[in-house]
Amino acid sequence: MPKQTFLNLPETKRKAFLDAAIEEFAGRDYASASISHIVAQLGIAKGSVYQYFEDKRDLYLYLIDLASRERIMFVQSAGPPDSQKGFFIYTQWLLEMGARFGFEHPRLNQIIYRAMFGDAPFRDDMLRQMKESSLGLIRQIIMQGIAAGEINPDLDLDMTAYLLNLITNEFGNYLVSKLAIDPQRLIEGDYAQLDIEATRGIFTKAAEFMWHGLAKRSSSIVETPSSVRN
Amino acid sequence: MPKQTFLNLPETKRKAFLDAAIEEFAGRDYASASISHIVAQLGIAKGSVYQYFEDKRDLYLYLIDLASRERIMFVQSAGPPDSQKGFFIYTQWLLEMGARFGFEHPRLNQIIYRAMFGDAPFRDDMLRQMKESSLGLIRQIIMQGIAAGEINPDLDLDMTAYLLNLITNEFGNYLVSKLAIDPQRLIEGDYAQLDIEATRGIFTKAAEFMWHGLAKRSSSIVETPSSVRN
DNA sequence: CAGTCACATGACTGACCAGTCACATTGTAT
DNA sequence: ATACAATGTGACTGGTCAGTCATGTGACTG
């Protein structure tokens, strides 16, 4: 969707442009995000943007695409845990990866979040498609879990997938508020403040909730380990 | 927050104004919602709006307040189930009320949703306060549940409250997509299409998930009834 | 050096917006 | 009927925006 001109651009220029654009679209919803801001920030002419992209929408969709690909790469590059360990561990890992991506790429994460739950005027385009693909993946995982006899087969598949998707997408936000993390410092790459190890307990608790729900369990019956570390 | 002038207005006029304003702010995010649209819709002068409210922001905050109060009234007017029935039933009821409010007052619901998860430029004003109050209520319910010995005391209170709040707020959206409900027709009050009785099964499933999570339960141990019907 | 191509520029257009204000209209009390 | 207050009005101001386009620049080519 970017024009050839954009792809021909020297790397530094292209990076700088993307950086500013990501910053803008992460920080404001589609209606408020402004091409004028971006060019002012970069000190380039407005016309340049229209040499690179068809229009605002085109740029936006490209950023969504980029962020999604980045996220998929991020998750895939950190290999999933051994499937032998069961789906509890897998759930925990999924949560952790979601949150970790949010910490390491807060702006990309924000763009994805806005695309999923905000309202750009393109709900029907590739947006729903993205949502669907994300849901599809989770649905698949749940089905495997059911097949493996670990997941309650009485659960409504669609609903459960929806709720899991919701939780994995929102969980980072909870962490940010819980740990009193300054989002601005996160965005500036200053996440030295974050100790992933120290927060692992929270992932375990979240996975625990997703896995066993609210109900008090009689202590003797534990089907899935909740005291696992890594 | 409305000026006296607005409160003096004849009922029909006031209602008509609110109706148009709600329509506008439900349908577009804060930045895109337009006073000009509202007055055009109503056929009144723009100046009038500024006789009624300080500014756009003032109007918006009033609508949020109104919607919140309406929602609280809605939920309270349908009395909660007998606390004897336990927290599983209570959870189910909470979900159902949330969804039902969404169906019967889709526009107000949308305004609340936008206030909670969208980004108006007032996150720090009464917005967070609203979020906090909602979270506070849920936290209280969870604590009661723990005290009553029904809820797993190992769960992180804050986190669980956050997730429950998230789910109860988002669940209506899931129903809308799941049941292929046309949001436009909902807004137009045409919710004859909706059969609350028929959807009750979905609430039960959702409560089931919240209550027992993903894990398959060995069939013999059931601490909380999952086959309850009202 | 002339010609061509890729890219950059920024003033400009038409549109939309929130908010204002001098003036007009309506209602009410005397 | 008169006076006064309350309410309504809409053209106008200053601002922002997306997108355009005629012009400029620099690099490479033959």
Side-chain angles (χ1 to χ4, degrees), chain A residues 91-100 167-168 171 203 206-207 210:
Chain A
T91 316
Q92 189 180 345
W93 176 80
L94 212 60
L95 269 174
E96 182 170 341
M97 291 321 285
R100 203 180 272 209
I167 291 174
T168 47
F171 193 67
F203 297 118
M210 286 166 62

Side-chain angles (χ1 to χ4, degrees), chain A residues 62-90:
Chain A
Y62 177 66
L63 292 182
I64 291 180
D65 185 55
L66 183 116
S68 309
R69 277 184 286 117
E70 208 71 38
R71 183 178 169 139
I72 288 172
M73 268 180 49
F74 181 88
V75 173
Q76 283 181 341
S77 76
D82 187 351
S83 70
Q84 297 293 327
K85 292 193 176 173
F87 278 83
F88 175 85
I89 295 293
Y90 190 85

Side-chain angles (χ1 to χ4, degrees), chain B residues 99-210:
Chain B
R100 204 181 270 210
F101 181 78
F103 285 126
E104 297 191 20
H105 303 283
R107 296 173 314 170
L108 296 181
N109 197 53
Q110 188 65 13
I111 285 178
I112 293 175
Y113 180 74
R114 280 188 198 284
M116 283 193 147
F117 301 107
D119 42 4
F122 318 127
R123 278 265 178 82
D124 307 322
D125 287 16
M126 66 165 286
L127 192 57
R128 179 163 299 175
Q129 173 192 340
M130 193 178 85
K131 211 165 183 170
E132 284 311 314
S133 80
S134 175
L135 277 178
L137 180 68
I138 292 187
R139 197 156 34 215
Q140 211 177 331
I141 291 167
I142 293 174
M143 277 165 54
Q144 286 172 18
I146 291 177
E150 289 195 62
I151 290 182
N152 178 3
D154 292 336
L155 286 172
D156 180 285
L157 187 60
D158 281 349
M159 188 200 69
T160 311
Y162 187 87
L163 293 180
L164 283 196
N165 182 48
L166 181 66
I167 291 174
T168 48
N169 272 290
E170 257 289 319
F171 194 67
N173 288 344
Y174 167 70
L175 275 182
V176 165
S177 69
K178 171 69 177 184
L179 303 175
I181 291 167
D182 179 358
Q184 196 51 47
R185 290 178 65 193
L186 256 191
I187 284 170
E188 285 157 6
D190 177 14
Y191 52 92
Q193 35 175 342
L194 184 70
D195 183 350
I196 283 281
E197 288 306 321
T199 59
R200 183 151 292 153
I202 298 182
F203 297 117
T204 307
K205 294 259 183 193
E208 175 78 17
F209 168 75
M210 286 165 61

Side-chain angles (χ1 to χ4, degrees), chain A residues 48-65:
Chain A
S48 295
V49 176
Y50 292 87
Q51 304 260 33
Y52 305 155
F53 294 90
E54 282 303 331
D55 50 21
K56 184 182 178 181
R57 171 202 152 108
D58 187 33
L59 169 57
Y60 175 64
L61 291 180
Y62 177 66
L63 292 182
I64 291 180
D65 185 55

Side-chain angles (χ1 to χ4, degrees), chain A residues 134-153:
Chain A
S134 175
L135 277 177
L137 180 67
I138 292 187
R139 197 155 38 215
Q140 211 177 332
I141 290 167
I142 295 175
M143 277 165 53
Q144 286 171 18
I146 291 177
E150 292 194 61
I151 290 182
N152 178 3

Side-chain angles (χ1 to χ4, degrees), chain A residues 126-202:
Chain A
M126 66 165 286
L127 192 56
R128 179 164 298 175
Q129 172 193 339
M130 193 178 84
K131 211 167 183 167
E132 283 312 313
S133 79
S134 175
L135 277 177
L137 180 67
I138 292 187
R139 197 155 38 215
Q140 211 177 332
I141 290 167
I142 295 175
M143 277 165 53
Q144 286 171 18
I146 291 177
E150 292 194 61
I151 290 182
N152 178 3
D154 291 337
L155 287 171
D156 181 286
L157 187 60
D158 281 348
M159 189 201 68
T160 308
Y162 187 87
L163 293 180
L164 285 195
N165 182 47
L166 182 64
I167 291 174
T168 47
N169 271 290
E170 258 289 315
F171 193 67
N173 288 344
Y174 166 71
L175 274 182
V176 165
S177 70
K178 171 70 177 184
L179 303 176
I181 291 168
D182 180 357
Q184 195 50 47
R185 290 178 65 194
L186 256 192
I187 284 171
E188 286 157 7
D190 177 15
Y191 51 92
Q193 34 175 342
L194 183 71
D195 182 351
I196 284 280
E197 288 306 319
T199 58
R200 183 151 291 154
I202 299 182

